[in-house]
C-alpha cells in the first residue's frame, strides 16, 4: 500500500487511514514523544501545522497489558468531568488497526514535567499550587461514581490488592530469571501477602498517576494522560503511587526521573493530609500501600530491564542498565522498610 501523502518517516498505510478517518490534509511527521517505557505516544503533525496525539502499544506487547480500547474508553467516559483529559478523535481501536491497534486524541495544551529540569523552570509559587492541583485532581477522580460515567463494569469492585499481588507475582516469574534481586523481592512478597488491608472504597483508579503523566501549563493541570492501567480499584494504591514518585530534593534519584526533586513542592505529609481532608479516607495504612507500590515498581522495572536487554524497545529514551538494576534493588530495600511499619 502506497500513498503520495506519506513523507519519509510516516507509515503510508497510516497516511491513507488518516485521510479517510481523521482529516485529508497530508501528514508531514509522526514523532515519538515522552520517555514512557510502556505504550508509545506519538505527535502527529499535518502540513498546515495542526497536531494530534496517537497512542499505540510497543511491538510484541501483550494485548491485556496494553489495551488500547480500554484506554480510549476511559478517556471518552471522563470527557466533561472535573478530571481534565484529552478529547478522543477516533476512540474505537478496532477501526484504527493499520499496523496494530491505536487511537487518536486531540493535542491538549501544556507539557509534561518529565524531569527535575522541567520542574525547576516553574516559579516556587507555581510548584506549590501545582502540588495542590495534583492532589485536587486525584481526589476528583476518586470521587466520581463509576456508574455515572459508564465505567461500572471497568473491573471488579473488590479485591484490588489481591488481584494486583497475583499479577505482580506472575510478572516477576516471567521476567526475573537470574535476577540478583529475587531474595528481597520474595521477602517483600511474603510480608505483603500476609498483611493485605481492607479496601475502604472502590474508585476509578488511574494506576500510574504521577507528575510526568500530567500535562501542565504553569500550575494548571490541562490533561491527565496514560490511562492504560485504569480500573476499578483501591484509592490508596493510586495515592501511594503518586507519593512514591514525590521524592524530595534530599532523596536519592531513581532511574525514572522524579520532577519534585527540583524542590519547592509540598511535602509528602502535606499532600497526603490534603488528600485525606478532600476524601475522608483513613490513611493510617498508607505505609503498606507504599511498600506494595515499591515492590510493584521494582517488578515493572525488571520487565523494562528484560526488554532493554533483548533490544525489543529500541533506543528510545535509553536507560543505563546498571542504574536500572540499582533502582530495582533500592526500591525493594525501601519496600522492606515500609512493610515493617
Amino acid at each position: 500500500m502506497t500513498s503520495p501523502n506519506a513523507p519519509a518517516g510516516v507509515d503510508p498505510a497510516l497516511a491513507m487511514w488518516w485521510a479517510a478517518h481523521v482529516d485529508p490534509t497530508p501528514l508531514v511527521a509522526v514523532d515519538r514523544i515522552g520517555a514512557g517505557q510502556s505504550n508509545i505516544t506519538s505527535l502527529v503533525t499535518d502540513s498546515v501545522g495542526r497536531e494530534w496525539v496517537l497512542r499505540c502499544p510497543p511491538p510484541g506487547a501483550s494485548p491485556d497489558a496494553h489495551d488500547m480500547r480500554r484506554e480510549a474508553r476511559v478517556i471518552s467516559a471522563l470527557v466533561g468531568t472535573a478530571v481534565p483529559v484529552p478529547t478522543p478523535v477516533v476512540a474505537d481501536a478496532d477501526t484504527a488497526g493499520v499496523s496494530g491497534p491505536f487511537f487518536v486524541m486531540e493535542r491538549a495544551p501544556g507539557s509534561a514535567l518529565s524531569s527535575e529540569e522541567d520542574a525547576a523552570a516553574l516559579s516556587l509559587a507555581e510548584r506549590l499550587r501545582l502540588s495542590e492541583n495534583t492532589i485536587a485532581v486525584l481526589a476528583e477522580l476518586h470521587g466520581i461514581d463509576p456508574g455515572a460515567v459508564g465505567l461500572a463494569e471497568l473491573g471488579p469492585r473488590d479485591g484490588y490488592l489481591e488481584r494486583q499481588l497475583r499479577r505482580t507475582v506472575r510478572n516477576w516469574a516471567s521476567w526475573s530469571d537470574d535476577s540478583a534481586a529475587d531474595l528481597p523481592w520474595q521477602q517483600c512478597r511474603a510480608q505483603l501477602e500476609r498483611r493485605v488491608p481492607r479496601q475502604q472504597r472502590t474508585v476509578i483508579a488511574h494506576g500510574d498517576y504521577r507528575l510526568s503523566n500530567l500535562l501542565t501549563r504553569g500550575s494548571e493541570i490541562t490533561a491527565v494522560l496514560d490511562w492504560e492501567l485504569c480500573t476499578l480499584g483501591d484509592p490508596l494504591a493510586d495515592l501511594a503511587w503518586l507519593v512514591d514518585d514525590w521524592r524530595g530534593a534530599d532523596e536519592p534519584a531513581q532511574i525514572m526521573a522524579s520532577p519534585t526533586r527540583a524542590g519547592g513542592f509540598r511535602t509528602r505529609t502535606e499532600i497526603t493530609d490534603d488528600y485525606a481532608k478532600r476524601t475522608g479516607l483513613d490513611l493510617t495504612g498508607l505505609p503498606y500501600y507504599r511498600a506494595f507500590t515499591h515492590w510493584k515498581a521494582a517488578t515493572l522495572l525488571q520487565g523494562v530491564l528484560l526488554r532493554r536487554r533483548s533490544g525489543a524497545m529500541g533506543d528510545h529514551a535509553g536507560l543505563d542498565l546498571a542504574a536500572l538494576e540499582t533502582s530495582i534493588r533500592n526500591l525493594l530495600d525501601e519496600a522492606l522498610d515500609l512493610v515493617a511499619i
Side-chain angles (χ1 to χ4, degrees), residues 38-52:
S38 187
N39 282 350
I40 294 171
T41 304
S42 297
L43 185 65
V44 180
T45 308
D46 72 10
S47 60
V48 296
R50 290 178 298 179
E51 295 176 334
W52 295 263

Side-chain angles (χ1 to χ4, degrees), residues 86-276:
T87 302
V89 176
V90 177
D92 185 346
D94 280 351
T95 68
V98 175
S99 55
F102 63 85
F103 71 94
V104 181
M105 302 173 285
E106 291 183 356
R107 194 201 189 295
S111 58
L113 296 183
S114 298
S115 67
E116 295 170 39
E117 291 73 22
D118 292 340
L122 300 176
S123 70
L124 290 178
E126 286 174 327
R127 293 179 220 180
L128 292 173
R129 183 61 182 152
L130 179 58
S131 303
E132 296 160 6
N133 288 341
T134 301
I135 284 296
V137 169
L138 184 62
E140 289 285 0
L141 174 65
H142 291 168
I144 294 173
D145 176 1
V149 293
L151 296 178
E153 306 304 320
L154 189 63
R157 295 192 62 84
D158 300 310
Y160 176 80
L161 283 174
E162 291 87 345
R163 294 194 307 278
Q164 289 290 309
L165 284 162
R166 290 193 295 269
R167 173 174 290 184
T168 305
V169 167
R170 289 196 301 270
N171 287 340
W172 185 260
S174 299
W175 299 336
S176 64
D177 285 351
D178 302 320
S179 172
D182 187 64
L183 179 58
W185 187 93
Q186 297 291 353
Q187 291 172 332
C188 192
R189 170 193 176 180
Q191 293 274 13
L192 291 168
E193 289 180 336
R194 270 200 302 268
R195 301 173 58 186
V196 180
R198 178 184 64 84
Q199 183 171 317
Q200 295 180 58
R201 193 176 298 172
T202 298
V203 302
I204 301 171
H206 181 279
D208 195 11
Y209 189 82
R210 51 196 168 99
L211 274 179
S212 57
N213 279 337
L214 310 178
L215 289 185
T216 63
R217 188 168 49 191
S219 62
E220 177 193 6
I221 297 173
T222 58
V224 181
L225 308 177
D226 289 11
W227 293 86
E228 65 199 79
L229 300 177
C230 182
T231 188
L232 300 188
D234 191 320
L236 295 197
D238 250 8
L239 177 64
W241 193 261
L242 172 67
V243 167
D244 285 351
D245 186 62
W246 203 271
R247 291 184 171 264
D250 58 341
E251 294 183 72
Q254 296 289 357
I255 192 69
M256 302 304 287
S258 177
T260 51
R261 290 188 71 251
F265 290 84
R266 296 292 185 193
T267 67
R268 282 198 183 105
T269 298
E270 287 173 329
I271 65 169
T272 54
D273 285 351
D274 188 7
Y275 178 85

Side-chain angles (χ1 to χ4, degrees), residues 161 192 236-245 286-300 331 335 338:
L161 283 174
L192 291 168
L236 295 197
D238 250 8
L239 177 64
W241 193 261
L242 172 67
V243 167
D244 285 351
D245 186 62
L286 189 60
Y288 174 96
Y289 288 87
R290 293 195 59 208
F292 165 75
T293 56
H294 273 66
W295 178 73
K296 179 181 175 182
T299 304
L300 294 173
L331 284 166
L338 286 163

